[in-house]
C-alpha cells in the first residue's frame, strides 16, 4: 500500500518515464501477488532432512520495541533450523548498473605519502572521539597518518570535500552499524567539516541516532547505532555491555523506520557476532522463549532480514546502499611475525606481504557475505575494505586512546594487555574507506 502511495506522488513529465513507471507498478503488483516466492538458500535436495521452515521477515509492524537492555529469555531451547525467506531482488531490480569498474580498487598497496596525507588535522576536527585521537593520547609516531591506498591498476578519485558536499546537497547520508562504523562516520565528519563555516553546522547530542547538519547544503551526515542490524537487546548506544545477546532475527523494522528516509546508507556489522552464541527471539514467539545459535548462523539470519528490506523496500533509482565488509583486528602478532607474542601494540608500519590475511577476518563470514550480497546485485555497493585494512597492523589505537575503565597497575606495566587492536586511529584507515565511498558515489 505504501508502495503505491509513493508511486502516486510522482509527477511524470515524459512519456518514457511514464511508461517505465507503468512497468514498475505492474511489476510491483505482480511482485506483491507472488510474495510467497522466496529464495531458498542452501536448499539441499536431501529428502532425508526435515524441511527447513522459512520465516518471512519484517511482517510484525510493531510500534513498540520488544527488546531492551533489560530483556531476558524466559527459557532457551535448541535452534529450530528456521531461516529467513527473503524477497527475490530480481523481481524489482533497478535499471542502474553500478559503474562497470575495469579496475578492482580494493586490490592494491599502501604507499607512504606525507605530501597529501593526512587529509585533515586531528586536533582541528571538533568531532574527533577520544577513543580514536591517538596522537592526542600520546602516540608520538604518527606515520600511521601518512599512508595512501594505491590500487594496482588505476587511481582512486582524489578526495574533494566540496565535491562531496555537492553530491550530498539536499540529502541524508546515514551510517548504520557498530563502533567501527561510528569511526567511519567520525572520519567522514572530519573530512567534510572544514569547508563549512562554524555557524552553519551543528550536531545533535549523542543518541541512538546522531545527526550532523550542514545548513548551506541542506544535508545531514548521520549515525545510527544498530550493531546487529536487526532489533536486539544491545540497541542502547551507551549501555550495551551485556552478558547475553538477544536478537529478533526476523525484525529490522525498529531500525529501518529510522533509516528508510535516508538517501545514502552505509551499513556494517561483524564483530558483535564474534562473541559467542546468540539468543534468537522470533517475532511470533509469545512466551519469551529463545533459541540459541552460533554467531555466524545468527549473523546470516540478520543479514537475510536486512537483505529482504533492501530487496523489497529500496528503490535503487533514488537511493544508494553500501555495505562495508569486516574490519580486521590485529590481536596476535605471531600471525605476521612468527614467534612473537604481542599484538598491534608498538606496530609502526603496514604489513607488505601481498594477500596477507589474519584470523581477525573470518573466511566463513566473508563467504556468507559474498552469498547474501551477490543476490542483491546492483542494489548494494560493497566496500570490500577487509583485505586493505588487514595490511594496517599499525593503524589501531593500541594504548593511545581514552579508556573508560581505570587501568590496574599490572595492566599499565604490560601495555599489550590492554591495547585496543580493533578500532582505528584518526586520521587513518577509515579515511580511506570514505575515499572509497566517495569514489563510488
Ligand atoms: C616526508 O617524509 C620525508 C622522508 O621521511 C621527509 O624527508 C620529509 O621532510 C617529509 N615531509 C613532510 C612534509 O613531512
Ligand atoms: C595541527 O593543528 C595544530 C593546532 O593548530 C598544530 O599545532 C599542528 O602543527 C597541526 N598539525 C599538522 C600536521 O598540520
Ligand atoms: C573540488 O571540487 C570543486 C567542486 O566540484 C571544484 O570547484 C574544485 O576545483 C575541486 N578542487 C580540487 C582541488 O580539485
Ligand atoms: C532539504 O532537504 C530535505 C530532504 O532531506 C527536503 O525535504 C527539503 O525540502 C529540503 N529543503 C530545502 C529548503 O531545500
Ligand atoms: C516471560 O514470561 C513472563 C511471564 O509469563 C511475561 O510477562 C514476559 O513478557 C515474558 N518475557 C518475554 C520476553 O516475552
Ligand atoms: C572481498 O574481497 C576478498 C578478497 O580480498 C574476496 O575474497 C571476497 O569475496 C570479497 N567479498 C565481497 C563481499 O565482495
Amino acid at each position: 500500500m505504501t508502495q503505491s502511495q509513493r508511486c502516486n506522488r510522482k509527477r511524470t513529465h515524459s512519456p518514457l518515464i511514464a511508461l517505465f513507471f507503468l512497468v514498475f507498478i505492474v511489476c510491483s503488483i505482480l511482485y506483491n501477488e507472488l510474495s510467497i516466492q522466496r529464495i531458498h538458500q542452501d536448499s539441499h535436495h536431501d529428502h532425508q532432512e526435515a524441511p527447513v521452515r522459512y520465516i518471512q521477515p519484517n511482517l510484525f509492524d510493531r510500534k513498540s520495541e520488544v527488546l531492551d537492555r533489560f530483556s531476558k529469555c524466559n527459557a532457551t531451547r535448541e535452534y529450530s533450523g528456521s531461516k529467513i525467506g527473503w524477497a527475490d531482488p530480481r523481481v524489482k531490480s533497478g535499471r542502474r548498473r553500478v559503474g562497470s569498474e575495469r579496475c578492482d580498487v580494493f586490490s592494491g598497496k599502501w604507499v607512504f605519502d606525507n605530501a597529501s596525507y593526512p587529509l585533515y588535522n586531528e586536533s582541528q576536527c571538533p568531532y574527533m572521539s577520544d577513543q580514536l585521537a591517538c596522537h592526542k593520547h600520546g602516540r608520538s609516531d604518527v606515520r600511521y597518518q601518512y599512508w595512501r591506498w594505491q590500487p594496482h591498476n588505476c587511481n582512486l578519485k582524489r578526495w574533494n570535500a566540496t565535491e562531496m558536499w555537492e553530491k550530498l546537497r539536499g540529502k541524508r547520508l546515514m551510517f548504520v552499524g557498530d563502533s567501527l562504523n561510528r569511526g567511519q562516520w567520525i572520519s567522514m565528519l572530519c573530512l567534510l567539516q572544514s569547508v563549512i563555516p562554524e555557524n552553519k553546522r551543528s550536531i545533535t547530542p549523542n543518541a541512538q541516532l546522531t545527526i550532523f547538519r550542514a545548513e548551506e547544503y541542506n544535508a545531514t551526515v548521520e549515525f545510527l547505532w544498530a550493531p546487529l542490524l536487526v532489533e536486539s537487546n544491545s540497541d542502547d548506544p551507551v549501555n550495551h555491555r551485556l552478558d547475553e545477546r538477544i536478537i529478533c532475527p526476523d525484525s529490522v523494522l525498529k531500525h529501518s523506520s529510522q533509516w528508510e528516509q535516508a538517501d545514502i546508507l552505509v551499513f556494517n556489522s561483524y564483530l558483535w557476532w564474534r562473541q559467542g552464541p546468540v539468543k534468537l527471539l522470533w517475532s511470533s514467539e509469545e512466551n519469551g522463549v529463545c533459541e540459541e545459535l552460533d554467531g555466524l548462523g545468527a549473523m546470516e539470519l540478520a543479514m537475510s532480514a536486512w537483505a529482504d528490506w533492501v530487496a523489497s523496500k529500496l528503490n535503487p533509482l533514488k537511493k544508494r546502499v553500501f555495505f562495508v565488509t569486516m574490519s580486521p583486528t590485529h590481536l596476535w602478532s605471531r600471525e605476521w611475525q612468527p614467534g612473537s607474542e604481542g599484538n598491534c601494540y608498538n606496530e609502526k608500519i603496514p604489513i607488505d606481504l601481498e594477500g596477507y590475511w589474519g584470523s581477525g577476518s573470518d573466511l566463513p563470514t566473508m563467504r556468507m557475505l559474498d552469498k547474501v550480497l551477490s543476490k542483491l546485485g546492483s542494489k548494494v555497493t560493497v566496500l570490500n575494505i577487509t583485505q586493505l585494512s588487514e595490511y594496517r597492523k599499525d593503524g589501531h589505537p593500541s594504548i593511545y586512546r581514552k579508556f573508560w575503565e581505570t587501568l590496574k597497575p599490572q595492566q599499565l606495566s604490560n601495555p599489550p594487555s590492554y591495547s585496543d587492536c580493533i578500532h582505528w586511529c584518526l586520521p587513518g584507515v577509515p579515511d580511506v574507506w570514505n575515499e572509497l565511498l566517495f569514489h563510488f558515489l
Side-chain angles (χ1 to χ4, degrees):
M1 317 131 274
T2 46
Q3 197 60 52
S4 51
Q5 276 162 14
R6 253 181 237 142
C7 289
N8 290 341
R9 260 194 274 134
K10 290 188 193 91
R11 290 278 160 268
T12 50
H13 296 294
S14 110
L16 208 67
I17 294 177
L19 183 68
F20 175 76
F21 279 115
L22 193 66
V23 172
F24 177 75
I25 287 163
V26 169
C27 286
S28 304
I29 293 166
L30 263 177
Y31 164 76
N32 285 334
E33 280 174 5
L34 298 176
S35 66
I36 355 131
Q37 224 181 41
R38 307 276 160 73
I39 297 174
H40 287 216
Q41 305 162 19
D42 301 324
S43 54
H44 308 292
H45 298 285
D46 184 350
H47 300 288
Q48 243 76 331
E49 282 175 25
V52 174
R53 205 159 72 95
Y54 283 89
I55 294 178
Q56 199 178 356
N58 309 326
L59 283 180
F60 291 79
D61 198 355
R62 294 183 304 249
K63 287 290 166 273
S64 65
E65 52 199 67
V66 166
L67 291 175
D68 61 28
R69 67 197 170 95
F70 304 108
S71 300
K72 292 269 175 282
C73 297
N74 277 348
T76 299
R77 60 174 169 236
E78 234 182 288
Y79 173 51
S80 61
S82 299
K83 299 212 172 193
I84 302 285
W86 46 290
D88 188 336
R90 287 164 303 187
V91 177
K92 286 209 287 184
S93 78
R95 297 231 124 225
R96 185 180 57 201
R97 292 235 44 85
V98 174
S100 54
E101 281 289 319
R102 255 166 287 118
C103 159
D104 178 5
V105 292
F106 304 111
S107 165
K109 60 172 194 243
W110 290 97
V111 176
F112 188 80
D113 178 359
N114 62 356
S116 31
Y117 285 77
L119 296 170
Y120 54 89
N121 183 330
E122 182 200 274
S123 65
Q124 283 165 4
C125 175
Y127 310 104
M128 184 60 67
S129 156
D130 271 333
Q131 258 187 75
L132 311 173
C134 299
H135 181 56
K136 175 180 167 188
H137 288 92
R139 185 159 175 180
S140 55
D141 176 86
V142 290
R143 267 179 291 174
Y144 67 92
Q145 299 190 358
Y146 296 137
W147 297 90
R148 173 166 53 85
W149 178 247
Q150 179 60 59
H152 282 316
N153 301 310
C154 53
N155 291 319
L156 270 188
K157 216 167 114 168
R158 256 187 105 83
W159 172 257
N160 178 329
T162 313
E163 194 182 334
M164 183 67 177
W165 277 120
E166 287 302 338
K167 289 176 193 287
L168 297 181
R169 191 181 282 282
K171 295 204 167 108
R172 291 177 67 185
L173 163 62
M174 192 187 288
F175 291 83
V176 182
D178 59 21
S179 59
L180 276 310
N181 202 264
R182 183 196 275 136
Q184 189 179 349
W185 170 71
I186 291 170
S187 153
M188 185 58 99
L189 298 187
C190 293
L191 284 165
L192 282 171
Q193 56 90 24
S194 65
V195 298
I196 308 287
E198 216 170 309
N199 61 346
K200 301 272 188 206
R201 49 177 145 97
S202 60
I203 192 161
T204 61
N206 188 24
Q208 198 193 4
L209 179 64
T210 309
I211 305 172
F212 173 87
R213 270 176 231 285
E215 222 178 275
E216 296 160 276
Y217 291 94
N218 184 30
T220 60
V221 181
E222 314 179 24
F223 174 69
L224 178 69
W225 173 257
L228 297 157
L229 297 177
V230 291
E231 178 176 347
S232 80
N233 67 342
S234 307
D235 293 334
D236 185 303
V238 182
N239 296 306
H240 44 244
R241 289 197 176 185
L242 305 169
D243 300 337
E244 60 176 11
R245 301 272 166 243
I246 311 175
I247 63 168
C248 286
D250 55 342
S251 174
V252 296
L253 287 169
K254 180 183 154 201
H255 297 148
S256 64
S257 63
Q258 302 202 67
W259 78 51
E260 67 191 356
Q261 299 303 326
D263 301 282
I264 304 161
L265 283 156
V266 183
F267 293 94
N268 93 322
S269 192
Y270 172 51
L271 285 174
W272 284 62
W273 302 104
R274 309 268 301 149
Q275 304 168 343
V278 176
K279 302 274 167 77
L280 316 174
L281 184 62
W282 294 94
S283 294
S284 57
E285 170 60 45
E286 281 167 0
N287 302 314
V289 178
C290 298
E291 295 175 4
E292 191 172 88
L293 182 57
D294 63 88
L296 176 57
M299 180 177 178
E300 181 164 359
L301 295 177
M303 284 296 296
S304 303
W306 167 85
D308 178 71
W309 184 87
V310 175
S312 59
K313 298 276 170 19
L314 183 92
N315 177 355
L317 295 169
K318 301 179 86 183
K319 298 190 181 207
R320 292 293 301 271
V321 170
F322 293 86
F323 192 90
V324 183
T325 60
M326 307 114 74
S327 171
T329 56
H330 293 91
L331 303 175
W332 315 106
S333 61
R334 59 172 182 262
E335 292 179 0
W336 58 85
Q337 196 190 340
S340 63
E341 286 186 348
N343 50 30
C344 73
Y345 174 68
N346 231 357
E347 291 293 345
K348 296 193 169 76
I349 51 168
I351 293 167
D352 63 4
L353 176 66
E354 171 119 25
Y356 171 82
W357 195 271
S359 66
S361 299
D362 183 52
L363 284 168
T365 302
M366 189 58 111
R367 282 192 286 271
M368 183 274 289
L369 288 178
D370 283 342
K371 195 171 71 176
V372 174
L373 294 170
S374 67
K375 278 191 199 139
L376 290 171
S378 60
K379 287 197 160 188
V380 58
T381 306
V382 179
L383 295 182
N384 196 341
I385 55 98
T386 308
Q387 175 76 76
L388 66 94
S389 310
E390 268 291 357
Y391 300 129
R392 294 301 307 276
K393 62 177 165 57
D394 61 316
H396 300 284
S398 67
I399 63 169
Y400 305 110
R401 52 162 278 194
K402 184 182 168 85
F403 289 91
W404 312 113
E405 60 280 358
T406 321
L407 296 162
K408 300 184 190 76
Q410 65 266 39
Q411 284 179 302
L412 290 167
S413 65
N414 179 17
S417 70
Y418 68 99
S419 283
D420 175 353
C421 298
I422 293 173
H423 300 96
W424 303 94
C425 297
L426 291 181
V429 175
D431 301 334
V432 170
W433 303 349
N434 280 322
E435 290 190 274
L436 289 160
L437 176 63
F438 176 61
H439 184 88
F440 284 104
L441 261 184

